[in-house]
Amino acid sequence: MSRRVLHSGSVLDVRSGDVRSADVVLADDRIADVGIGLDGDEGVDCTGALLVPGFIDCHTHVCFGPAGVDALQLPRSARTLSAVPVLRTLLRLGVTTVRDAWGADAGVRLAIENGWIEGPELLLSLRQVGTTGAIGDVWAPRTGALEFYGDPSLPDPIFDGADAGRAVVRRMVQAGADWIKVTASGSMALGIGVHDVHLTYDELAAVVDEAHRRGGRRVMVHAHGARAAELAARAGAASVEHGTYLDEAAVAAMADCGTWYVPTLSVTQSDPEHGPDGAPEAHRESMRLAIEAGVRIAMGTDGPVRPHSEVLRELSHLAAAGLGEAGAFRAATIDAARLLGLAEDRGEIAVGKRADLVVLDGATLDCAAMEERLRQVFHNGVEVVR
């Protein structure tokens, strides 16, 4: 077992936010040691650099094509092939784990695992499931239902009633889903029903229960409005996605039920002048309420609403919205790993954890212009060619 030592740098303790001088030894795909004066078979000089864990994006879409392209209009093969440059971009920017929030099938994960393409470790939800008339139920007046994504690897996501909710979970798990994604409100991108609630408590609770029965899987809920987010929390969902228009009752429910918040701030904060009126301000207010209530927060970007090349800007938005720089790094590493159930394996620079690390120029926690600070990325102990 060869030992590669990253020496003479500073290491971020994402739990405390402290930065200290330390060497880090990588052996195979694990962190073998952290300390001062360590040796190894190969040395990497990290003088003047900050070592942080690999970043985790808990909400993105790797098969939606580039930003500005309507993925629903692409041929199925083009949607899948578009993931190749996306996954490469994310990995080279230091994102070593992603949870796909619908669009990628089990074949994309298999291609990464077999080394056919390069990319972060990929967790799948396959489709966003929802009730008749919800945003996953694509329909047009002249043609009726439009099943753009339908094929055996991306099963039918529409259900009505608790029993049908259990069946949709079983379809997704059979096709390889790690997570179940449910749409509980309308879409801000489509400009429809952001404050609506698209399913009942019994329906969502059945989905959550069935997911848990199927290997302990959990549910992520698309919810822009406060009532949809509150419903998600009360029904036992693991995370609320977006949460653009939360209120005190919603964040109280989330805090009480231990529901995570994945705010995807890039959607409203990266280009606020071109978003829905009031959305940027409402999103920041939702963050303030969530932080004050003690809701746990993990990073997600909702790419390619903003280009995947901007993934690291989400840290700046998290910091500016109330987490501060140390909190933003925490949301993008150890807390994201906790949400995904992976904290025993990754999310911090500690002995025995997966050797996913990012080397940044400068020893500060400044989240601005992170792309320019990137010096090296290691994934599973192997340096990523940048």
Side-chain angles (χ1 to χ4, degrees):
M1 182 184 300
S2 64
R3 290 165 53 91
R4 175 182 288 178
V5 57
L6 283 59
H7 63 84
S8 306
S10 299
V11 172
L12 171 63
D13 180 343
V14 289
R15 293 178 183 267
S16 67
D18 295 335
V19 175
R20 59 188 176 89
S21 298
D23 304 330
V24 179
V25 177
L26 312 182
D28 290 339
D29 66 344
R30 295 287 142 181
I31 297 171
D33 204 353
V34 181
I36 299 294
L38 304 179
D39 58 12
D41 303 303
E42 177 186 353
V44 178
D45 187 0
C46 295
T47 301
L50 177 69
L51 279 62
V52 302
F55 300 115
I56 300 173
D57 189 341
C58 294
H59 189 122
T60 193
H61 304 273
V62 302
C63 285
F64 272 19
V69 172
D70 184 355
L72 295 179
Q73 303 302 323
L74 293 174
R76 291 172 183 166
S77 59
R79 289 198 296 265
T80 301
L81 290 170
S82 73
V84 176
V86 167
L87 291 162
R88 182 189 305 121
T89 294
L90 292 173
L91 186 59
R92 291 178 180 182
L93 289 171
V95 178
T96 53
T97 304
V98 299
R99 180 178 64 170
D100 189 81
W102 78 283
D105 67 15
V108 181
R109 180 179 59 199
L110 182 66
I112 296 171
E113 291 174 348
N114 285 340
W116 302 338
I117 61 176
E118 64 173 326
E121 182 168 337
L122 183 64
L123 305 180
L124 301 174
S125 62
L126 302 183
R127 301 287 297 269
Q128 51 182 13
V129 308
T131 53
T132 298
I135 59 175
D137 185 13
V138 183
W139 183 89
R142 293 184 62 185
T143 57
L146 299 173
E147 180 52 298
F148 289 107
Y149 271 83
D151 65 49
S153 66
L154 294 168
D156 178 12
I158 306 305
F159 71 96
D160 292 290
D163 287 345
R166 293 184 182 277
V168 81
V169 171
R170 293 166 187 169
R171 290 197 295 274
M172 296 300 157
V173 171
Q174 184 180 44
D178 303 300
W179 281 76
I180 305 299
K181 183 190 178 184
V182 180
T183 59
S185 79
S187 166
M188 190 167 65
L190 298 176
I192 54 173
V194 292
H195 296 289
D196 293 347
V197 180
H198 286 173
L199 73 171
T200 68
Y201 174 87
D202 288 344
E203 287 172 325
L204 184 51
V207 169
V208 170
D209 179 67
E210 190 63 29
H212 180 74
R213 286 159 50 87
R214 298 282 165 160
R217 287 172 174 81
R218 293 181 293 162
V219 173
M220 56 192 293
V221 175
H222 164 108
H224 283 290
R227 301 290 68 78
E230 184 175 3
L231 171 66
R234 298 297 184 199
S239 63
V240 165
E241 313 293 305
H242 313 307
T244 311
Y245 302 98
L246 301 180
D247 61 16
E248 291 184 355
V251 298
M254 293 167 68
D256 184 53
C257 298
T259 311
W260 287 81
Y261 181 26
V262 182
T264 65
L265 289 169
S266 294
V267 174
T268 62
Q269 306 302 305
S270 288
D271 191 13
E273 294 183 0
H274 294 88
D277 290 344
E281 297 79 10
H283 215 169
R284 291 194 297 272
E285 176 65 6
S286 294
M287 278 287 291
R288 184 188 69 80
L289 291 171
I291 292 169
E292 288 186 355
V295 175
R296 297 175 295 177
I297 296 170
M299 187 183 85
T301 61
D302 204 19
V305 175
R306 297 297 303 175
H308 291 287
S309 58
E310 296 182 7
V311 59
L312 297 184
R313 299 184 190 182
E314 183 71 20
L315 279 84
S316 293
H317 297 317
L318 290 166
L323 287 185
E325 282 78 8
F329 275 100
R330 183 184 180 104
T333 55
I334 188 62
D335 281 350
R338 283 172 171 156
L339 166 59
L340 300 184
L342 300 173
E344 295 300 314
D345 182 66
R346 70 198 71 176
E348 62 184 328
I349 298 176
V351 174
K353 296 294 180 75
R354 187 180 297 271
D356 291 348
L357 296 95
V358 178
V359 182
L360 300 171
D361 282 327
T364 74
L365 299 186
D366 185 3
C367 294
M370 290 274 288
E371 302 93 336
E372 299 175 9
R373 295 180 60 193
L374 280 171
R375 183 187 295 186
Q376 290 172 291
V377 175
F378 295 88
H379 180 40
N380 293 328
V382 178
E383 183 172 2
V384 175
V385 177
R386 299 186 66 250

